[in-house]
Amino acid sequence: MTVRKVLGDRDAATYLGGVLVSGFGDSAMLLVAGIWVKTLTGSSSLAAAVTFCVWAPALAGPVLGTLADRVRRRSLLIWTNAALAVLLPVLLAVRSGREAWLLFVVLAVVGAASVLSDAAEAGLVTAAVPVDLRGDFNGLRMTVNEAMKLLAPLVGAGLFLRYGGGAVAVLDAVTFVLAAAAFAMLRTRELPPVPPAEGWREQTAEGIRCLRDHPLLRPLVTVGAVAMVLSGLSSSAIYEMTEAGLHRPPAFVAVLYVVQGAGSIVAGVVAGAVMRRLPERVFAAVGLLLFTTGAALRAVPSLPVVLVATLAIGVGLPWVIVAAFTAVQQRTAPELVGRVAATASTVIFGPTALAAALGAGLVALVDFRLQLAAVGVLGLMAAWLLLLRGGSAGSADAGSVRAAGLADAGSAQCVPADAVPAGSVSASPAEGGSAQGEHGVLRPADAVEDHQPDLRDPRPQQR
């Protein structure tokens, strides 16, 4: 079983352990931060602003991604997590509404560090995880994150009620320490990055161009952005659907989130196996159709139908995101992967807050069933366009991906020499040989025997 292979890979398992503990702390802190601000200030708008502080740094993704490409990624991850572990205890000073501003500052820093960490991890994963296991790895990473979202808020709320918000901040700081330790235990070694021949602006623009001009990454990332926008439109109708459609109290929404989370856990476990059988475009389109069809079916006033539809949403939406970021790992040259991954994060997750606000306005203006039906129709159109551009199930991608996406003359190639053809995530490690010395990512000798694919050079929810 491939999942067992991922967990049997020392670096992959160690990395997933770090994701597990840091995801636990982050999920607990994000929930408690809003409750904490509401308790201190009595303001619902300030409590809602907590989420904005965490997500706003994603808009600076291309610049932060450039930083991740200019330094050793493993060292950057260790020191970033260590710095956050030192920063979080500052929140112990928050005692009243007058100190609430500290929460916003710290959470904005945490949000920026998360974007930076995601960019660095994208490059580190391509070095630490064998190429034929990356789909499974990204799926398991999604599973771990979703599992933590089910458990961590309960623990965080309990700590907050018993000991206050400072206790949750300390818990999050401890998880940052554990994450730093996990990255320090990775056996992947990196040579110093090549000194950049261009300035920050040119390097950032190069990552944007790579994503914009790539014949496979551009549509996959675009569909990821469409999926997140439609998710915002769909989720904003959940309370109206629960009350007017199912005739249930608002607290029943928690049940739906649990069902959706269970679907996401299943989706992550099987994602790698499904990706090996489908081209990337088809895999993303199937995920988009599952998600948007499930959203449309929630307009049906039947509890069994809504539960099944919610499960489909939980399976389909993560598949779209996993498809996009796995393709970034597979199709981008190692010296560009941080910038491209961070830019992809900005494109995919940046519009989410605006979509949620738009959806909230639509709920007040139109019937929630029309809103959910529109999500289904738009999802069908987007999936059809994605498949239409894919031609004959990805055969065109296999031939074009190596030649496409070149940056300007004199700069690094966008597409790595060992790019895996579309629909062939499990391609033979022997293809493409060893480009090890060219880009400075090495594994120690004791890892070579078990993981020949790791000898190539060159991952997103995110810390």
Side-chain angles (χ1 to χ4, degrees):
M1 185 177 181
T2 310
V3 170
R4 189 175 302 170
K5 291 182 180 179
V6 174
L7 297 178
D9 182 279
R10 181 184 181 277
D11 282 343
T14 301
Y15 176 83
L16 284 174
V19 169
L20 188 151
V21 295
S22 63
F24 183 92
D26 285 352
S27 296
M29 189 65 219
L30 184 57
L31 170 73
V32 166
I35 300 174
W36 199 356
V37 171
K38 174 68 174 177
T39 303
L40 292 173
T41 66
S43 171
S44 296
S45 59
L46 287 177
V50 165
T51 303
F52 174 79
C53 286
V54 174
W55 282 99
L59 298 176
V63 176
L64 293 173
T66 301
L67 172 60
D69 283 339
R70 293 170 70 103
V71 299
R72 296 189 186 190
R73 290 150 179 163
R74 178 170 167 269
S75 298
L76 177 62
L77 288 168
I78 294 170
W79 286 107
T80 298
N81 282 277
L84 292 176
V86 174
L87 176 65
L88 262 296
V90 169
L91 296 180
L92 291 170
V94 177
R95 302 286 183 177
S96 66
R98 287 175 303 193
E99 294 91 28
W101 64 271
L102 269 175
L103 267 168
F104 295 109
V105 172
V106 170
L107 290 173
V109 173
V110 170
S114 296
V115 176
L116 180 61
S117 296
D118 284 347
E121 290 171 14
L124 193 61
V125 166
T126 56
V129 179
V131 64
D132 56 330
L133 295 181
R134 288 176 197 162
D136 301 271
F137 176 86
N138 289 326
L140 285 177
R141 189 177 191 275
M142 180 75 70
T143 293
V144 168
N145 278 327
E146 292 302 322
M148 290 304 98
K149 289 177 184 177
L150 296 179
L151 177 62
L154 299 177
V155 175
L159 279 175
F160 178 78
L161 292 174
R162 182 67 179 85
Y163 300 105
V168 184
V170 171
L171 171 66
D172 200 15
V174 171
T175 64
F176 280 120
V177 171
L178 294 175
F183 288 120
M185 291 170 61
L186 292 177
R187 294 181 297 180
T188 301
R189 295 177 297 170
E190 295 180 275
L191 295 176
V194 178
E198 301 172 317
W200 279 85
R201 180 180 298 179
E202 291 77 13
Q203 284 191 292
T204 301
E206 189 176 17
I208 295 173
R209 284 197 303 271
C210 176
L211 184 61
R212 181 195 66 195
D213 298 338
H214 199 288
L216 179 63
L217 298 185
R218 183 181 63 250
L220 285 178
V221 170
T222 300
V223 165
V226 170
M228 292 306 300
V229 169
L230 295 180
S231 175
L233 295 176
S234 171
S235 61
S236 61
I238 191 170
Y239 288 100
E240 185 69 15
M241 179 270 296
T242 301
E243 181 180 6
L246 298 179
H247 306 291
R248 303 275 175 167
F252 188 76
V253 169
V255 176
L256 299 179
Y257 279 129
V258 169
V259 173
Q260 182 173 334
S264 297
I265 291 173
V266 173
V269 172
V270 303
V274 178
M275 287 187 73
R276 277 188 293 277
R277 291 164 174 79
L278 297 175
E280 290 102 322
R281 292 177 188 267
V282 176
F283 178 71
V286 169
L288 184 61
L289 287 173
L290 277 173
F291 154 52
T292 54
T293 300
L297 286 175
R298 291 212 291 196
V300 178
S302 167
L303 181 58
V305 172
V306 169
L307 291 178
V308 172
T310 301
L311 191 67
I313 292 173
V315 173
L317 185 57
W319 279 4
V320 181
I321 307 305
V322 168
F325 284 103
T326 300
V328 168
Q329 295 169 7
Q330 306 285 47
R331 310 294 186 150
T332 308
E335 61 272 18
L336 288 170
V337 69
R339 281 165 277 175
V340 176
T343 303
S345 293
T346 298
V347 173
I348 291 175
F349 298 115
T352 304
L354 295 177
L358 174 61
L362 287 175
V363 168
L365 298 175
V366 301
D367 191 296
F368 77 93
R369 290 167 293 189
L370 292 177
Q371 186 169 331
L372 293 176
V375 170
V377 171
L378 292 173
L380 177 62
M381 293 173 59
W384 179 75
L385 288 173
L386 178 64
L387 293 175
L388 183 66
R389 289 183 59 86
S392 57
S395 60
D397 291 336
S400 63
V401 71
R402 296 178 182 272
L406 295 180
D408 290 340
S411 62
Q413 289 188 345
C414 176
V415 182
D418 60 346
V420 180
S424 303
V425 174
S426 58
S428 169
E431 300 171 3
S434 172
Q436 187 64 25
E438 295 179 12
H439 303 296
V441 178
L442 300 173
R443 290 178 61 95
D446 60 355
V448 171
E449 193 171 305
D450 292 333
H451 305 299
Q452 284 297 331
D454 295 4
L455 291 177
R456 322 178 179 199
D457 246 346
R459 143 207 131 133
Q461 1 182 279
Q462 98 198 339
R463 240 192 68 86

